[in-house]
Amino acid sequence: MSDNKKRKSKSDSVVAHPAGASPAKKPKLEDLLDDDEDELQRLKPRRPDPSLETRSKLCPYLDTINRHLLDFDFEKLCSVSLTRINVYACLVCGKYFQGRGTNTHAYTHSVAESHHVFLNLSTLKFYCLPDNYEIIDSSLDDIKYVLNPVFTGRDIRNLDKEDQKMSRTVDGTIYSPGIVGMNNIKANDYCNVILQSLSHVKPIRDFFLIEKNYANIKRPPGDTAFTLVQRFGELLRKLWNPRNFKSHVSPHEMLQAVVLWSSKKFQITEQGDPIEFLSWFLHILHKQLRGNKQPDSSVVYRTFLGEMKIYTRKLPPTELDDVQKQLLLATDEYQEKVETSTFLYLTCDLPATPLFIDEFRENIIPQVNLYQLLAKFNSVSEKEYKTYKENFLKRFEITRLPKFIILYIKRFTKNTFFLEKNPTIVNFPVKNIDFGDILTEENKKQHKYTKYNLVANIVHDGEPNAGTYRCHILQESTNQWYEMQDLHVTNILPQMITLTEAYIQIYELQEEDDDVLEVKQ
């Protein structure tokens, strides 16, 4: 065997291990590091570059931010590609663009227009483009707060205190949180008045101002209707934001969710009925908050749900004689039946308008007292209801009053040909309305407090098929009434509210005695 063959076999014996032989030991870390100094440098933990750290915090373009042009009320999508993924807001011109890489719309915009400061609308992080580094600066926190206002329990408790401070916008306008106008995109004032009124119902407001109250609610996979709850919470936080850049809010995202999940029943471009929207909205909020038939299953039911008994008695046909009527009335079918029902609002029927003009050749605007309308629910008054085949007499007995009562004053009646409006003026007190007067003695004993104060009043002006809606809102911190019609917000005397054609009213239960209230005042 030659020397080459011997060397070859000797080297093979090092690499290839015969069966049963132990494998060669791995080289130690010390040996490896001694042999390769570059590997040593690679394995050592790297220290952050101080120049990069300074670069991520300081930006020379912060003075180019124009807060007057920033508006985060609209849908978060790219203004070029219309995508909702990875959208950034240009803080110089206020437009939305996608991405921040070299081939994205935000990058192109930054190079073409020399706009350098951008905000990621989902992560709330600031970046400088085209250099593509993160900006960390506490002077930008006000922009974050406008995009996503955050309230603590202490903030909410201070909202209704007398020493609540006024706020100032970027252009110097003074406004009070919660008393801000809402943009009418085309014909959505019927939605605006409902949203404004609900924003001053304390339990609803306090629940939705803290996002964690509903963020962790379990819902089935693919349930995207929960977006409506999130949009409503976002809108309320913007309405009560004490650091707004503008003195008005646009409900654009909220209304888009309404159009989508109502299957276009409620439109932005067509006038609708506020009571239909209110009924649908309260029910879908209750459903999405995983509420059931229990009175305390959701904040909607805890606030507005009341209970009544409905007594129904069938009437015999009018063409029968007295003997036949008496025979029918003796049968079980014509006996009075009782059922227990719940309600979110009470429907009050206005008396019919006079058909003839008065002696002065002018139409009299009729007036009616609110207590006359509420007599419908005193368990004594009967009202006839007609169907295609049968007639019924019904009377209503309220057994449980909610914390907040919604009254719907039925002004519109639809016949075969057209829609008619009843112009009757309803006379009502603004404070200390005693709903205990319509309760039976037995039901009244179950209620410690029965007096209510008006907190919101919705009015319809104009023709039945068109017209406009406005609302009157009570700000509790100042005890001042405001009239809101879209973007217009003005002070109003409470005496003027009673002269309007009220359509929907919200009353709040007063859980304090009159003596205590007088001492406080």
Side-chain angles (χ1 to χ4, degrees):
M1 192 180 284
S2 63
D3 294 339
N4 292 336
K5 288 184 178 180
K6 286 181 181 179
R7 290 194 197 99
K8 188 176 182 181
S9 62
K10 196 171 183 179
S11 62
D12 288 345
S13 65
V14 175
V15 179
H17 308 291
S22 60
K25 293 182 178 180
K26 293 182 179 178
K28 293 183 178 180
L29 181 61
E30 290 83 354
D31 299 335
L32 180 63
L33 296 179
D34 290 339
D35 293 340
D36 193 352
E37 292 184 1
D38 294 337
E39 190 69 15
L40 174 62
Q41 297 298 325
R42 189 184 67 81
L43 292 177
K44 281 185 179 180
R46 294 184 178 181
R47 294 182 180 178
D49 187 356
S51 63
L52 289 177
E53 188 176 353
T54 307
R55 188 185 181 199
S56 66
K57 293 183 178 179
L58 302 177
C59 180
Y61 301 108
L62 294 185
D63 58 343
T64 63
I65 296 175
N66 190 348
R67 286 172 170 79
H68 293 272
L69 298 179
L70 299 184
D71 191 348
F72 301 118
D73 293 341
F74 292 95
E75 195 174 4
K76 311 297 188 294
L77 49 82
C78 175
S79 58
V80 179
S81 62
L82 301 183
T83 181
R84 293 179 175 84
I85 302 171
N86 201 21
V87 179
Y88 289 77
C90 174
L91 301 185
V92 181
C93 63
K95 295 179 181 178
Y96 296 166
F97 298 97
Q98 183 190 18
R100 70 173 194 272
T102 54
N103 293 322
T104 59
H105 299 295
Y107 185 93
T108 305
H109 176 74
S110 69
V111 174
E113 303 294 336
S114 294
H115 294 174
H116 300 288
V117 189
F118 288 80
L119 168 64
N120 188 312
L121 296 176
S122 57
T123 64
L124 302 184
K125 290 184 178 181
F126 297 90
Y127 293 92
C128 182
L129 297 181
D131 297 338
N132 199 10
Y133 60 85
E134 184 180 354
I135 304 170
I136 302 173
D137 197 303
S138 59
S139 66
L140 303 175
D141 290 345
D142 61 330
I143 299 177
K144 284 185 184 179
Y145 197 86
V146 169
L147 177 58
N148 184 27
V150 179
F151 289 83
T152 62
R154 184 179 179 182
D155 295 334
I156 294 174
R157 287 191 296 272
N158 292 334
L159 288 177
D160 296 325
K161 288 189 176 180
E162 295 179 1
D163 57 351
Q164 178 70 14
K165 295 180 180 179
M166 301 292 283
S167 299
R168 186 187 297 271
T169 63
V170 174
D171 60 0
T173 305
I174 302 296
Y175 75 97
S176 179
I179 308 296
V180 293
M182 203 177 287
N183 190 21
N184 186 355
I185 299 171
K186 187 174 181 182
N188 55 277
D189 52 336
Y190 72 99
C191 293
N192 289 356
V193 291
I194 294 297
L195 297 173
Q196 288 276 23
S197 301
L198 291 179
S199 71
H200 286 264
V201 175
K202 276 193 237 175
I204 299 290
R205 179 199 67 186
D206 296 351
F207 179 84
F208 282 97
L209 284 184
I210 300 180
E211 190 175 2
K212 67 180 182 181
N213 286 340
Y214 54 89
N216 298 322
I217 292 178
K218 294 181 179 179
R219 52 188 187 274
D223 181 18
T224 53
F226 191 75
T227 309
L228 196 67
V229 177
Q230 295 172 325
R231 294 287 179 263
F232 183 57
E234 291 172 5
L235 180 64
L236 287 195
R237 289 195 292 276
K238 289 177 180 177
L239 286 173
W240 286 93
N241 183 6
R243 306 180 207 167
N244 271 334
F245 288 166
K246 298 180 179 180
S247 60
H248 64 270
V249 172
S250 177
H252 189 268
E253 286 188 290
M254 174 69 203
L255 294 176
Q256 279 193 320
V258 167
V259 172
L260 180 61
W261 299 115
S262 66
S263 300
K264 299 185 178 180
K265 178 181 178 182
F266 302 105
Q267 295 276 7
I268 300 175
T269 56
E270 295 178 9
Q271 188 68 279
D273 193 341
I275 192 63
E276 291 182 6
F277 173 69
L278 176 64
S279 177
W280 171 85
F281 188 61
L282 291 180
H283 279 96
I284 197 168
L285 276 185
H286 172 71
K287 180 181 177 183
Q288 292 304 317
L289 292 172
R290 294 293 163 261
N292 50 39
K293 293 183 179 180
Q294 298 301 319
D296 58 347
S297 58
S298 78
V299 67
V300 176
Y301 273 21
R302 288 195 297 271
T303 306
F304 295 116
L305 191 70
E307 195 174 89
M308 68 167 63
K309 288 181 180 178
I310 303 176
Y311 300 86
T312 307
R313 184 160 55 89
K314 189 176 179 180
L315 293 177
T318 53
E319 62 269 12
L320 300 179
D321 56 24
D322 294 341
V323 178
Q324 291 175 318
K325 287 181 180 179
Q326 292 299 325
L327 290 174
L328 283 177
L329 291 173
T331 60
D332 292 338
E333 184 181 358
Y334 286 84
Q335 298 303 309
E336 190 174 60
K337 297 177 176 57
V338 184
E339 63 174 334
T340 302
S341 177
T342 57
F343 64 88
L344 288 175
Y345 62 87
L346 296 174
T347 303
C348 298
D349 302 309
L350 289 173
T353 54
L355 296 176
F356 305 102
I357 59 177
D358 63 347
E359 57 182 345
F360 299 106
R361 311 289 298 174
E362 294 179 357
N363 283 323
I364 301 174
I365 299 178
Q367 299 185 29
V368 64
N369 195 291
L370 180 65
Y371 288 103
Q372 292 178 247
L373 304 183
L374 294 177
K376 170 184 176 181
F377 306 100
N378 62 5
S379 77
V380 178
S381 302
E382 289 185 322
K383 183 175 174 60
E384 185 176 355
Y385 290 85
K386 297 181 180 181
T387 63
Y388 181 69
K389 292 182 179 179
E390 300 167 327
N391 295 345
F392 296 90
L393 274 181
K394 289 187 177 184
R395 57 190 179 95
F396 305 91
E397 177 189 343
I398 294 180
T399 55
R400 181 167 57 83
L401 291 171
K403 292 181 179 178
F404 284 78
I405 294 180
I406 302 176
L407 290 186
Y408 160 49
I409 300 172
K410 194 174 181 181
R411 290 198 173 274
F412 301 104
T413 53
K414 194 172 185 179
N415 57 27
T416 311
F417 303 103
F418 51 88
L419 190 68
E420 291 180 337
K421 179 182 176 181
N422 191 330
T424 302
I425 298 295
V426 179
N427 296 320
F428 56 89
V430 175
K431 286 189 174 182
N432 295 327
I433 301 173
D434 194 355
F435 281 82
D437 295 344
I438 61 174
L439 298 177
T440 61
E441 290 299 325
E442 181 181 353
N443 292 325
K444 197 171 183 178
K445 293 177 182 177
Q446 300 175 5
H447 296 78
K448 187 177 179 181
Y449 305 104
T450 57
K451 289 188 177 181
Y452 287 74
N453 288 351
L454 184 70
V455 294
N457 180 54
I458 296 174
V459 180
H460 177 265
D461 299 313
E463 296 299 319
N465 291 318
T468 56
Y469 291 95
R470 54 193 169 98
C471 63
H472 302 115
I473 300 293
L474 173 65
Q475 187 186 29
E476 189 163 334
S477 61
T478 59
N479 202 29
Q480 172 67 49
W481 281 92
Y482 290 90
E483 181 178 272
M484 297 185 181
Q485 187 169 11
D486 301 331
L487 297 175
H488 303 286
V489 179
T490 54
N491 297 350
I492 188 173
L493 293 173
Q495 295 87 342
M496 300 298 294
I497 298 173
T498 59
L499 302 177
T500 59
E501 297 178 1
Y503 188 51
I504 300 172
Q505 296 180 326
I506 301 179
Y507 291 90
E508 179 184 6
L509 177 64
Q510 300 305 301
E511 295 182 340
E512 292 181 338
D513 295 331
D514 294 338
D515 298 335
V516 178
L517 288 173
E518 289 177 5
V519 170
K520 283 188 176 182
Q521 292 173 356

